[in-house]
PDB file of all heavy atoms in Angstrom:
ATOM      1  N   ALA A  89      24.282 -58.794 -18.684  1.00 98.00           N
ATOM      2  CA  ALA A  89      24.458 -57.773 -19.770  1.00 98.00           C
ATOM      3  C   ALA A  89      25.797 -57.891 -20.484  1.00 98.00           C
ATOM      4  O   ALA A  89      25.893 -57.662 -21.800  1.00 98.00           O
ATOM      5  CB  ALA A  89      24.235 -56.419 -19.136  1.00 98.00           C
ATOM      6  N   VAL A  90      26.847 -58.077 -19.811  1.00 98.00           N
ATOM      7  CA  VAL A  90      28.174 -58.103 -20.417  1.00 98.00           C
ATOM      8  C   VAL A  90      28.282 -59.320 -21.329  1.00 98.00           C
ATOM      9  O   VAL A  90      28.970 -59.280 -22.445  1.00 98.00           O
ATOM     10  CB  VAL A  90      29.235 -58.157 -19.335  1.00 98.00           C
ATOM     11  CG1 VAL A  90      30.602 -58.521 -19.910  1.00 98.00           C
ATOM     12  CG2 VAL A  90      29.383 -56.836 -18.695  1.00 98.00           C
ATOM     13  N   GLN A  91      27.563 -60.407 -20.939  1.00 98.00           N
ATOM     14  CA  GLN A  91      27.670 -61.637 -21.830  1.00 98.00           C
ATOM     15  C   GLN A  91      26.508 -61.590 -22.942  1.00 98.00           C
ATOM     16  O   GLN A  91      26.359 -62.517 -23.750  1.00 98.00           O
ATOM     17  CB  GLN A  91      27.452 -62.847 -20.958  1.00 98.00           C
ATOM     18  CG  GLN A  91      28.482 -63.167 -19.984  1.00 98.00           C
ATOM     19  CD  GLN A  91      28.141 -64.284 -19.071  1.00 98.00           C
ATOM     20  OE1 GLN A  91      27.804 -65.422 -19.556  1.00 98.00           O
ATOM     21  NE2 GLN A  91      28.240 -64.055 -17.789  1.00 98.00           N
ATOM     22  N   ARG A  92      25.822 -60.543 -22.937  1.00 98.00           N
ATOM     23  CA  ARG A  92      24.655 -60.195 -23.889  1.00 98.00           C
ATOM     24  C   ARG A  92      23.561 -61.331 -23.752  1.00 98.00           C
ATOM     25  O   ARG A  92      23.243 -61.950 -24.743  1.00 98.00           O
ATOM     26  CB  ARG A  92      25.162 -60.223 -25.303  1.00 98.00           C
ATOM     27  CG  ARG A  92      24.174 -59.591 -26.268  1.00 98.00           C
ATOM     28  CD  ARG A  92      24.843 -59.268 -27.631  1.00 98.00           C
ATOM     29  NE  ARG A  92      23.763 -58.911 -28.637  1.00 98.00           N
ATOM     30  CZ  ARG A  92      23.251 -57.701 -28.754  1.00 98.00           C
ATOM     31  NH1 ARG A  92      23.653 -56.719 -28.089  1.00 98.00           N
ATOM     32  NH2 ARG A  92      22.227 -57.554 -29.625  1.00 98.00           N
ATOM     33  N   LEU A  93      23.242 -61.539 -22.479  1.00 98.00           N
ATOM     34  CA  LEU A  93      22.127 -62.540 -22.103  1.00 98.00           C
ATOM     35  C   LEU A  93      20.972 -61.647 -21.583  1.00 98.00           C
ATOM     36  O   LEU A  93      21.175 -60.606 -20.864  1.00 98.00           O
ATOM     37  CB  LEU A  93      22.612 -63.483 -21.120  1.00 98.00           C
ATOM     38  CG  LEU A  93      23.806 -64.313 -21.449  1.00 98.00           C
ATOM     39  CD1 LEU A  93      24.235 -65.213 -20.306  1.00 98.00           C
ATOM     40  CD2 LEU A  93      23.435 -65.143 -22.690  1.00 98.00           C
ATOM     41  N   CYS A  94      19.816 -62.219 -21.812  1.00 98.00           N
ATOM     42  CA  CYS A  94      18.437 -61.521 -21.301  1.00 98.00           C
ATOM     43  C   CYS A  94      18.473 -61.512 -19.815  1.00 98.00           C
ATOM     44  O   CYS A  94      18.709 -62.594 -19.178  1.00 98.00           O
ATOM     45  CB  CYS A  94      17.276 -62.249 -21.968  1.00 98.00           C
ATOM     46  SG  CYS A  94      15.708 -61.542 -21.339  1.00 98.00           S
ATOM     47  N   SER A  95      18.125 -60.368 -19.241  1.00 98.00           N
ATOM     48  CA  SER A  95      17.984 -60.292 -17.785  1.00 98.00           C
ATOM     49  C   SER A  95      16.738 -61.025 -17.233  1.00 98.00           C
ATOM     50  O   SER A  95      16.689 -61.278 -16.066  1.00 98.00           O
ATOM     51  CB  SER A  95      17.873 -58.812 -17.378  1.00 98.00           C
ATOM     52  OG  SER A  95      16.731 -58.116 -17.885  1.00 98.00           O
ATOM     53  N   LEU A  96      15.834 -61.319 -18.052  1.00 98.00           N
ATOM     54  CA  LEU A  96      14.605 -61.959 -17.657  1.00 98.00           C
ATOM     55  C   LEU A  96      14.506 -63.538 -17.884  1.00 98.00           C
ATOM     56  O   LEU A  96      14.101 -64.307 -16.991  1.00 98.00           O
ATOM     57  CB  LEU A  96      13.321 -61.372 -18.299  1.00 98.00           C
ATOM     58  CG  LEU A  96      13.151 -59.999 -18.047  1.00 98.00           C
ATOM     59  CD1 LEU A  96      12.011 -59.345 -18.720  1.00 98.00           C
ATOM     60  CD2 LEU A  96      13.175 -59.651 -16.566  1.00 98.00           C
ATOM     61  N   CYS A  97      15.133 -63.961 -18.995  1.00 98.00           N
ATOM     62  CA  CYS A  97      15.068 -65.415 -19.275  1.00 98.00           C
ATOM     63  C   CYS A  97      16.438 -65.982 -19.054  1.00 98.00           C
ATOM     64  O   CYS A  97      16.592 -67.191 -19.052  1.00 98.00           O
ATOM     65  CB  CYS A  97      14.517 -65.737 -20.623  1.00 98.00           C
ATOM     66  SG  CYS A  97      15.522 -65.337 -22.111  1.00 98.00           S
ATOM     67  N   GLY A  98      17.543 -65.207 -19.203  1.00 98.00           N
ATOM     68  CA  GLY A  98      18.877 -65.684 -19.064  1.00 98.00           C
ATOM     69  C   GLY A  98      19.523 -66.281 -20.302  1.00 98.00           C
ATOM     70  O   GLY A  98      20.582 -66.696 -20.255  1.00 98.00           O
ATOM     71  N   GLU A  99      18.674 -66.157 -21.421  1.00 98.00           N
ATOM     72  CA  GLU A  99      19.245 -66.788 -22.695  1.00 98.00           C
ATOM     73  C   GLU A  99      19.890 -65.637 -23.522  1.00 98.00           C
ATOM     74  O   GLU A  99      19.714 -64.558 -23.309  1.00 98.00           O
ATOM     75  CB  GLU A  99      18.077 -67.353 -23.422  1.00 98.00           C
ATOM     76  CG  GLU A  99      17.360 -68.493 -22.627  1.00 98.00           C
ATOM     77  CD  GLU A  99      18.201 -69.821 -22.590  1.00 98.00           C
ATOM     78  OE1 GLU A  99      19.034 -70.008 -23.458  1.00 98.00           O
ATOM     79  OE2 GLU A  99      18.101 -70.430 -21.537  1.00 98.00           O
ATOM     80  N   ARG A 100      20.538 -66.213 -24.579  1.00 98.00           N
ATOM     81  CA  ARG A 100      21.304 -65.192 -25.449  1.00 98.00           C
ATOM     82  C   ARG A 100      20.287 -64.261 -26.048  1.00 98.00           C
ATOM     83  O   ARG A 100      19.234 -64.542 -26.567  1.00 98.00           O
ATOM     84  CB  ARG A 100      22.052 -65.981 -26.505  1.00 98.00           C
ATOM     85  CG  ARG A 100      22.771 -65.112 -27.463  1.00 98.00           C
ATOM     86  CD  ARG A 100      24.181 -65.277 -27.752  1.00 98.00           C
ATOM     87  NE  ARG A 100      25.075 -65.742 -26.758  1.00 98.00           N
ATOM     88  CZ  ARG A 100      25.841 -65.166 -25.969  1.00 98.00           C
ATOM     89  NH1 ARG A 100      25.859 -63.833 -25.969  1.00 98.00           N
ATOM     90  NH2 ARG A 100      26.707 -65.834 -25.221  1.00 98.00           N
TER      91      ARG A 100
END
Side-chain angles (χ1 to χ4, degrees):
V90 167
Q91 295 174 53
R92 201 169 166 85
L93 300 175
C94 176
S95 61
L96 300 179
C97 72
E99 299 292 326
R100 178 127 332 261

